[in-house]
Amino acid sequence: MSQPINRQWRLKNRPVGMIDENDFSWHEEAVRQPEKDEVLVRSVYLSLDPTNRIWITDMPQYMEPVQVGDVMRGIAIGVVETSEHANFAPGDIVSGMWGWQEYATLPAQQLTKIPSDLPVPLDAWTSVLGPTGMTAYFGLLDIGQPKQGETVIVSAAAGAVGSLVGQIAKIKGCRAVGLAGTDEKCNWLTNDLGFDAAVNYKTTELDKAIAEACPDGIDINFENVGGKILDTILTQINMRARIVLCGLIANYNSDEPVPGPYHFAQILMQRARLEGFIILDYIPQFPHAIAEMATWLAEGKLKYKVDVVKGLKEAPTAVNYLFTGRNIGKLVVQVSDLPK
């Protein structure tokens, strides 16, 4: 039997502005069979996330930047092909950070086995039950600390994280308001996901539209975008508001210094709290959160959408959808066929 070929994207250049396919190079090499305590995995789903843009920038960040010449970093879900470790067997579904490649041979300790006893589609583990869902869960509940009757506003609300944040806010008895960039997305938020209001930030006078959607002011801002959106929200926060800083995607592709919020003083005036977080800090608490999210999913209180792009070749182009607003819900690349 011929040895399978591993196809992968490696970082070639550090991008300036938007990511370009020429910032990566396509490599093909023979798959390495696992040695003792290693596992060979075939990629099924590759997660595309705004943090991909951070990882390839040579700047201080929460992980070491991807080095030029290395396989592009990325969270993936796959199926075990061959195992030399007692805890993994062929056919097991696993997740890990093995990057933009079709196969990976890596130490078993770098893999997490996905439970087989939950009756959910595999793509749920890329979204509501994966790091995306955990980001929404801990960001809102641990940092935002919502109370019944409060108003929660979410930027990039039709994205992977934001769409879940608003639904969790509703579960907790809050008013959920989403900001999105198309009428289609706004209708999805209110008609399908149960948000109380949605604002198209591209076609409205933003400060007035937010004031109408949040007549009692803003108690929690789950911030994914930054820039003008965050600045406008700051003018309407309530006393003791909480700002959950999950992302700043408006700034990630900027090749010039980005000014800070012009209304930053409102944090002082309203005695608000702004706190950033990285979901890696919460990994030990994932099992509890997964159990609760799975219960809400089974009860129909949570819905999720996965936007699938077919083929690893498309990854460098598709990752920009996160910044142009082309995707709805969780953006993934399907690298290979689903396990049977």
Side-chain angles (χ1 to χ4, degrees):
M1 182 179 295
S2 61
Q3 196 171 12
I5 297 298
N6 183 26
R7 299 169 182 86
Q8 56 188 207
W9 284 110
R10 292 178 176 267
L11 183 63
K12 182 180 178 182
N13 307 300
R14 299 209 180 275
V16 177
M18 294 286 281
I19 293 172
D20 187 274
E21 183 176 321
N22 293 325
D23 294 321
F24 300 92
S25 57
W26 182 256
H27 289 255
E28 298 185 2
E29 59 186 30
V31 169
R32 181 175 69 81
Q33 292 301 311
E35 300 177 354
K36 186 178 186 304
D37 293 331
E38 289 186 327
V39 177
L40 171 62
V41 180
R42 169 173 59 85
S43 301
V44 176
Y45 285 125
L46 169 66
S47 176
L48 296 180
D49 303 285
T51 195
N52 292 158
R53 185 62 180 83
I54 297 176
W55 289 340
I56 54 179
T57 303
D58 191 11
M59 58 175 277
Q61 52 187 277
Y62 63 94
M63 299 177 72
E64 285 295 316
V66 177
Q67 297 302 305
V68 172
D70 285 355
V71 174
M72 177 58 193
R73 183 182 296 149
I75 300 170
I77 290 176
V79 58
V80 173
E81 297 281 290
T82 309
S83 174
E84 295 297 334
H85 191 280
N87 292 346
F88 295 91
D92 286 346
I93 308 300
V94 295
S95 64
M97 198 176 285
W98 60 80
W100 291 18
Q101 54 185 339
E102 293 181 351
Y103 291 90
T105 304
L106 64 170
Q109 65 189 26
Q110 296 181 15
L111 298 173
T112 299
K113 192 180 297 186
I114 289 179
S116 59
D117 56 351
L118 289 177
V120 297
L122 184 59
D123 65 11
W125 294 96
T126 71
S127 174
V128 62
L129 301 182
T132 294
M134 301 301 96
T135 301
Y137 182 96
F138 289 108
L140 181 61
L141 299 184
D142 187 60
I143 297 177
Q145 299 180 8
K147 302 175 183 63
Q148 186 165 349
E150 291 189 322
T151 294
V152 178
I153 191 167
V154 188
S155 59
V161 173
S163 59
L164 295 172
V165 170
Q167 295 179 79
I168 298 172
K170 292 300 297 178
I171 291 171
K172 295 300 179 180
C174 296
R175 177 176 176 81
V177 176
L179 303 180
T182 68
D183 290 342
E184 177 192 6
K185 291 180 178 181
C186 289
N187 290 334
W188 179 58
L189 294 175
T190 55
N191 297 339
D192 293 350
L193 303 189
F195 280 60
D196 294 285
V199 172
N200 185 336
Y201 67 88
K202 291 184 178 180
T203 60
T204 60
E205 194 169 345
L206 191 56
D207 56 346
K208 292 183 178 179
I210 290 176
E212 290 177 2
C214 306
D216 297 321
I218 296 167
D219 300 294
I220 300 172
N221 170 31
F222 197 103
E223 189 54 54
N224 295 302
V225 176
K228 178 183 177 182
I229 286 177
L230 172 59
D231 218 19
T232 303
I233 288 172
L234 286 177
T235 67
Q236 300 187 38
I237 57 175
N238 288 334
M239 188 73 69
R240 304 295 179 187
R242 286 84 72 201
I243 301 165
V244 182
L245 189 56
C246 179
L248 294 166
I249 61 175
N251 303 339
Y252 293 166
N253 290 301
S254 177
D255 54 6
E256 297 180 355
V258 177
Y262 294 104
H263 298 291
F264 189 75
Q266 285 298 104
I267 295 175
L268 171 62
M269 303 308 172
Q270 296 297 81
R271 289 73 143 182
R273 176 168 57 86
L274 185 154
E275 183 174 347
F277 76 106
I278 301 296
I279 194 56
L280 298 178
D281 298 338
Y282 289 90
I283 288 177
Q285 301 177 56
F286 277 16
H288 166 75
I290 290 171
E292 188 159 30
M293 294 282 273
T295 298
W296 291 337
L297 190 62
E299 293 173 346
K301 295 178 179 179
L302 278 182
K303 298 178 182 179
Y304 70 96
K305 182 178 179 62
V306 176
D307 200 336
V308 180
V309 175
K310 296 292 185 70
L312 183 63
K313 272 276 192 178
E314 303 302 314
T317 299
V319 71
N320 280 321
Y321 299 171
L322 297 163
F323 304 103
T324 62
R326 178 169 165 177
N327 71 295
I328 298 180
K330 176 60 190 165
L331 183 62
V332 302
V333 172
Q334 185 173 337
V335 179
S336 67
D337 292 336
L338 297 174
K340 297 179 180 179

